Amino acid sequence: KIKYLGDDAYLCFIRDITQKKRNMEQLDAIHKQATKLSTLQSIEEISNTTLDIMESLFEHQTNSFQIREKETLKTLGTRGIISIKPELSLKGRGMTEKAAKEKRSILINDLRKNPTFTKDSPDSLSKLSVPAINDDETIAILNVESPHLNEFTEEDRKLLETLAYHVAFAVNRVIQQVSRSQQAATKLNYALG
């Protein structure tokens, strides 16, 4: 209780925690979904599940999943866009390629101010690209784009980075399983001679 202009008044501090609560709920959802990622048996299943998670986090946005194959990024799936390039060269000038090469997430909320990047979609004004990294190598890229300015926040970046962390482990696990299977098949073929 304070005096204000000679009258009694109450000084209150109020914080809106709506966004913080939303972010905590989303982070919790990612961690719960990560257990599902750890049980999948193929890269395609990982891509589809990842896109499902991204779609729940970033409603009404364009989401895409690319897997690295040597010096290209192969698009395995998209949501919210009809046409996207099936392959991107790591020598390209796009945000997706830069995120993969530099092994860091890139968030731009006004693509018009960044003419050095090529855009995947002509309608995109905001974009967030996050690499999934394993053994210091980019193995996949998660992208979310919006036709609106200033659509993504640092909290969105952290959420997508958390998802990318789980994706990296899931993809690596599947790659190692395939490699072990191929080695076993080679040994069997050699033994059968």
Side-chain angles (χ1 to χ4, degrees):
K1 187 174 177 179
I2 63 170
K3 288 284 187 189
Y4 180 71
L5 299 175
D7 291 326
D8 288 339
Y10 290 93
L11 181 61
C12 300
F13 293 96
I14 299 171
R15 254 188 339 166
D16 183 358
I17 63 166
T18 306
Q19 186 63 35
K20 186 173 185 166
K21 186 172 177 1
R22 178 182 156 263
N23 289 340
M24 289 178 69
E25 288 169 354
Q26 289 177 321
L27 187 58
D28 186 49
I30 287 174
H31 285 298
K32 286 178 182 173
Q33 288 291 336
T35 58
K36 184 175 181 181
L37 283 172
S38 68
T39 64
L40 300 175
Q41 299 300 314
S42 72
I43 303 296
E44 290 76 18
E45 289 176 324
I46 293 169
S47 172
N48 286 329
T49 300
T50 301
L51 287 167
D52 289 344
I53 296 167
M54 290 173 66
E55 200 169 37
S56 72
L57 294 172
F58 304 104
E59 300 175 59
H60 315 296
Q61 308 303 343
T62 298
N63 301 291
S64 63
F65 182 100
Q66 284 89 14
I67 193 82
R68 182 174 179 177
E69 292 182 353
K70 296 180 183 172
E71 294 303 308
T72 63
L73 295 170
K74 181 180 176 186
T75 302
L76 293 186
T78 61
R79 303 278 170 85
I81 192 169
I82 296 171
S83 175
I84 194 166
K85 294 178 184 175
E87 284 190 8
L88 302 169
S89 169
L90 285 179
K91 295 177 184 176
R93 296 181 331 130
M95 244 177 89
T96 304
E97 296 93 324
K98 184 173 181 165
K101 288 184 282 195
E102 294 184 3
K103 299 176 238 170
R104 67 178 182 91
S105 58
I106 299 175
L107 167 62
I108 297 180
N109 274 313
D110 188 349
L111 288 168
R112 299 173 305 179
K113 294 180 180 177
N114 291 279
T116 57
F117 290 124
T118 57
K119 297 194 317 187
D120 293 334
S121 169
D123 297 330
S124 293
L125 292 176
S126 299
K127 183 171 179 174
L128 174 58
S129 293
V130 177
I133 300 169
N134 188 60
D135 288 336
D136 201 38
E137 289 295 323
T138 298
I139 58 176
I141 292 283
L142 312 181
N143 285 300
V144 60
E145 300 180 41
S146 174
H148 306 288
L149 294 172
N150 303 309
E151 190 67 24
F152 307 111
T153 65
E154 285 300 318
E155 290 299 321
D156 292 329
R157 180 196 304 248
K158 290 176 189 173
L159 286 170
L160 205 55
E161 285 174 348
T162 300
L163 179 58
Y165 174 83
H166 292 293
V167 166
F169 280 104
V171 168
N172 185 56
R173 183 184 49 76
V174 168
I175 290 170
Q176 287 186 359
Q177 284 177 340
V178 168
S179 177
R180 283 192 297 270
S181 295
Q182 289 172 342
Q183 288 173 357
T186 299
K187 286 179 184 178
L188 181 62
N189 286 339
Y190 181 75
L192 294 174

